[in-house]
Amino acid sequence: MSSVQIKNVRKSYGAVPILHGVSVDIDDGEFVILVGPSGCGKSTLLRMIAGLETITGGEIRIAERVVNNLEPKERDIAMVFQNYALYPQMTVAQNMGFALEMQGVKRPDIKKKVDEAAAILGLQPLLQRKPAQLSGGQRQRVAMGRAIVRDPKVFLFDEPLSNLDAKLRVQMRAEIKALQQRLNTTTVYVTHDQIEAMTMADKIVVMQGGRVEQIGAPLDLYDKPANRFVAGFLGSPAMNFLEGTLRSQDGPKLELAGGKSVPLSRMPGGGDGRKVVVGIRPEEIRIAGEGVDAKLIVVEPTGSETLLSIDFAGQELTCLLRQRATLAPGQDVKLSFATDAVHFFDPDTGERID
């Protein structure tokens, strides 16, 4: 079993705390992504799993073995870095087999493992090239190949796609996910890109300020975020938020400061008069013949979809239409909301209200 257990792990640099008691259980063969804004502690946590950072408190286990005080080479992990970390003077084959050579593995065995990994990654024609002769995507494959040949208990990825262009990132996302499914190796992956997290992970760990905000399957977090931070972080475009007061007269609704109101299909606990923040995803807003008055600010056609910025009661909302639309900035429109899909949050704590 190549599971990873992170229990109440803390990290401080002098008197400055970075991680505040993080706990995550990662099952054997699971693809887990640590996601969050820059500075949230996700890369620090990954480096602690790898043994590249010391642990101030708590415990990390890999395959049931406590690794707090083990050197990186003793943890049976392989790490793929953001900058690939390839040796420029070595060929692709030499880069991929170097760690095995340092372990004293025999040359025929090294060649066999390198050839097997090259076949998986489509690197056979490139084995005699050097990194300077490769594209960014090819270098990323070499870095992954170097990890594969070691046959580790755990793969660690530290923002591996951040240096690639947008088209190549999409391609490499699919390749890494397919590779992990094929090898079935426990994988911990760090990114600040929530699209990567949503499309690749079996389980997402959302972090902020050195703490875990929520852990769960991608669609579970998307459909039922634990708090306003998770709701706003996951989803592209980001969730809209409207602050107001719940009213029940003539049917449930959210009364806004400017006097306008949004009809609701339900009310959370606390009922009439309660201050709440309502979250509405951009795809749950429609331009309709009937509804509440609003004005278009920006219209962004993307081909198959149309992205709108809308002035509604003095607040800017984002609306995502899943089709082309003949609309213009400054145009008056009426909005309807899929009110059965709204989310409620406490305005003070940000926690979800059901």
Side-chain angles (χ1 to χ4, degrees), residues 188-231:
V188 187
Y189 185 111
V190 160
T191 182
H192 64 276
D193 186 335
Q194 53 91 19
I195 295 294
E196 283 183 34
M198 289 294 297
T199 56
M200 297 171 68
D202 297 322
K203 183 161 69 183
I204 295 176
V205 180
V206 183
M207 297 182 64
Q208 180 188 211
R211 292 181 170 85
V212 172
E213 295 288 343
Q214 191 173 2
I215 301 174
L219 291 180
D220 289 343
L221 269 60
Y222 188 85
D223 291 338
K224 198 170 183 179
N227 54 48
R228 182 171 172 172
F229 174 79
V230 176

Side-chain angles (χ1 to χ4, degrees), residues 156-176:
L156 304 177
F157 288 85
D158 189 9
E159 304 214 36
L161 307 184
S162 59
N163 290 333
L164 304 180
D165 63 56
K167 183 177 180 180
L168 191 53
R169 278 203 305 273
V170 173
Q171 178 185 336
M172 291 302 298
R173 279 203 317 249
E175 290 189 13
I176 292 174

Side-chain angles (χ1 to χ4, degrees), residues 44-120:
T44 299
L45 180 58
L46 190 79
R47 291 173 61 84
M48 292 167 74
I49 297 171
L52 302 176
E53 292 278 359
T54 58
I55 298 171
T56 304
E59 180 180 273
I60 295 178
R61 290 176 176 264
I62 298 176
E64 304 298 334
R65 180 175 63 156
V66 177
V67 298
N68 288 32
N69 299 314
L70 294 183
E71 294 295 319
K73 64 182 179 181
E74 299 174 315
R75 299 189 180 204
D76 200 5
I77 54 94
M79 191 162 181
V80 178
F81 295 92
Q82 180 178 346
N83 61 1
Y84 318 135
L86 302 178
Y87 296 106
Q89 75 278 15
M90 294 184 181
T91 66
V92 168
Q94 290 169 335
N95 265 285
M96 289 172 64
F98 182 69
L100 298 180
E101 187 178 338
M102 292 296 97
Q103 293 172 8
V105 178
K106 294 179 180 178
R107 286 187 181 276
D109 294 332
I110 294 176
K111 184 178 186 307
K112 180 182 177 182
K113 285 182 173 289
V114 169
D115 287 344
E116 288 173 350
I120 291 172

Side-chain angles (χ1 to χ4, degrees), residues 50 127 196 248:
L127 287 176
E196 283 183 34
S248 59

Side-chain angles (χ1 to χ4, degrees), residues 76-350:
D76 200 5
I77 54 94
M79 191 162 181
V80 178
F81 295 92
Q82 180 178 346
N83 61 1
Y84 318 135
L86 302 178
Y87 296 106
Q89 75 278 15
M90 294 184 181
T91 66
V92 168
Q94 290 169 335
N95 265 285
M96 289 172 64
F98 182 69
L100 298 180
E101 187 178 338
M102 292 296 97
Q103 293 172 8
V105 178
K106 294 179 180 178
R107 286 187 181 276
D109 294 332
I110 294 176
K111 184 178 186 307
K112 180 182 177 182
K113 285 182 173 289
V114 169
D115 287 344
E116 288 173 350
I120 291 172
L121 296 165
L123 291 172
Q124 300 100 317
L126 308 177
L127 287 176
Q128 299 311 311
R129 293 190 188 181
K130 293 186 176 179
Q133 299 171 298
L134 304 176
S135 68
Q138 290 167 339
R139 292 179 193 177
Q140 186 57 266
R141 288 192 185 92
V142 175
M144 291 193 297
R146 182 177 54 192
I148 290 170
V149 299
R150 296 179 58 188
D151 192 23
K153 287 188 172 68
V154 181
F155 286 136
L156 304 177
F157 288 85
D158 189 9
E159 304 214 36
L161 307 184
S162 59
N163 290 333
L164 304 180
D165 63 56
K167 183 177 180 180
L168 191 53
R169 278 203 305 273
V170 173
Q171 178 185 336
M172 291 302 298
R173 279 203 317 249
E175 290 189 13
I176 292 174
K177 179 63 176 176
L179 176 66
Q180 194 274 338
Q181 290 174 336
R182 177 175 179 175
L183 299 176
N184 198 33
T185 302
T186 305
T187 300
V188 187
Y189 185 111
V190 160
T191 182
H192 64 276
D193 186 335
Q194 53 91 19
I195 295 294
E196 283 183 34
M198 289 294 297
T199 56
M200 297 171 68
D202 297 322
K203 183 161 69 183
I204 295 176
V205 180
V206 183
M207 297 182 64
Q208 180 188 211
R211 292 181 170 85
V212 172
E213 295 288 343
Q214 191 173 2
I215 301 174
L219 291 180
D220 289 343
L221 269 60
Y222 188 85
D223 291 338
K224 198 170 183 179
N227 54 48
R228 182 171 172 172
F229 174 79
V230 176
F233 190 82
L234 294 180
S236 181
M239 182 181 285
N240 299 291
F241 295 103
L242 293 169
E243 189 164 350
T245 304
L246 293 174
R247 299 297 184 197
S248 59
Q249 186 177 0
D250 300 323
K253 56 181 173 288
L254 178 73
E255 185 180 78
L256 306 175
K260 290 187 178 181
S261 61
V262 176
L264 302 171
S265 60
R266 64 185 177 89
M267 292 178 66
D272 193 70
R274 180 174 184 175
K275 300 283 188 183
V276 296
V277 173
V278 168
I280 307 172
R281 294 207 179 274
E283 62 268 27
E284 304 295 349
I285 300 176
R286 302 284 183 269
I287 304 298
E290 295 182 355
V292 292
D293 294 330
K295 185 183 290 291
L296 295 181
I297 304 172
V298 178
V299 178
E300 299 178 81
T302 65
S304 61
E305 299 175 336
T306 306
L307 188 63
L308 307 175
S309 295
I310 303 171
D311 179 4
F312 172 64
Q315 301 185 59
E316 186 172 333
L317 301 182
T318 300
C319 170
L320 180 63
L321 304 180
R322 300 296 189 185
Q323 71 275 342
R324 298 185 184 186
T326 306
L327 298 166
Q331 181 177 339
D332 292 324
V333 293
K334 290 187 179 295
L335 303 183
S336 67
F337 303 91
T339 55
D340 58 339
V342 301
H343 305 263
F344 297 96
F345 304 98
D346 186 284
D348 297 319
T349 66

